[in-house]
């Protein structure tokens, strides 16, 4: 049995807790016995657990795009491909000139998604010439 001493509004109280069972406490306050009902704790709201099936991606990946870049500054002489063309690694995609003609080839296979330059256009090193997907 636990005994507690309280002073409430200038009055002294001696409270003995005799036992608690099923949220009902038996207490003695200054020698007088009481039964005290305590509120039951609230049950947490049920939140269903969402489980993703194995093997299903959370986000569907968009096709990866890759730019074939100008290796050096130059002027575009000719575009050898068009959107929708399938190319292999090593295929020439652009012909440019920097005092002499250079074949610019793709370092990977893919499908031409976009042409970013036109004949006669000056380009700087690193500019995307075509976009593959």
């Amino acid at each position: 049995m636990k005994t507690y001493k309280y002073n409430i509004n200038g009055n002294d109280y001696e409270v003995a807790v005799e036992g608690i069972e099923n949220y009902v406490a038996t207490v003695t306050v200054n020698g007088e016995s009481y039964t005290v009902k305590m509120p039951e704790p609230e049950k947490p709201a049920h939140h269903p657990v969402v489980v993703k099936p194995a093997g299903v991606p959370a986000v569907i990946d968009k096709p990866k795009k890759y730019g074939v870049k100008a290796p050096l500054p130059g002027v575009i002489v000719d575009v050898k491909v068009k959107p929708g063309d399938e190319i292999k690694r090593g295929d020439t995609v652009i012909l440019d000139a920097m005092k002499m003609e250079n074949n610019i080839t793709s370092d990977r296979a893919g499908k031409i998604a976009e042409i970013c330059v036109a004949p006669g256009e000056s380009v700087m090193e690193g500019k995307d010439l075509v976009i593959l997907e």
Side-chain angles (χ1 to χ4, degrees):
M1 173 166 50
K2 279 277 216 188
T3 302
Y4 303 93
K5 293 189 180 199
Y6 297 103
N7 183 295
I8 302 171
N9 294 330
N11 297 317
D12 290 326
Y13 296 92
E14 186 173 305
V15 179
V17 179
E18 297 172 13
I20 301 173
E21 192 173 315
N22 294 327
Y23 304 103
V24 176
T26 305
V27 296
T28 301
V29 180
N30 292 344
E32 197 168 328
S33 196
Y34 295 93
T35 301
V36 179
K37 287 187 175 186
M38 297 181 290
E40 291 187 33
E42 289 185 29
K43 293 179 183 175
H46 177 69
H47 296 288
V49 177
V50 177
V51 178
K52 289 186 234 171
V56 176
V59 176
I60 296 174
D61 291 335
K62 292 181 181 176
K64 302 260 190 256
K65 293 194 176 186
Y66 173 78
V68 175
K69 300 187 182 309
L72 55 132
V75 176
I76 303 301
V77 174
D78 191 17
V79 178
K80 300 286 187 181
V81 293
K82 62 186 180 311
D85 286 355
E86 293 284 339
I87 63 167
K88 296 182 285 214
R89 183 178 184 189
D91 284 356
T92 298
V93 292
I94 301 285
L95 187 62
D96 87 333
M98 179 70 178
K99 297 187 181 178
M100 59 184 266
E101 290 186 356
N102 297 296
N103 288 326
I104 299 177
T105 59
S106 177
D107 61 349
R108 65 181 65 191
K111 181 178 181 181
I112 303 292
E114 179 182 351
I115 308 273
C116 303
V117 294
E121 182 178 342
S122 292
V123 296
M124 297 303 295
E125 180 180 351
K127 175 173 175 48
D128 283 336
L129 302 173
V130 297
I131 304 294
L132 303 177
E133 50 178 35

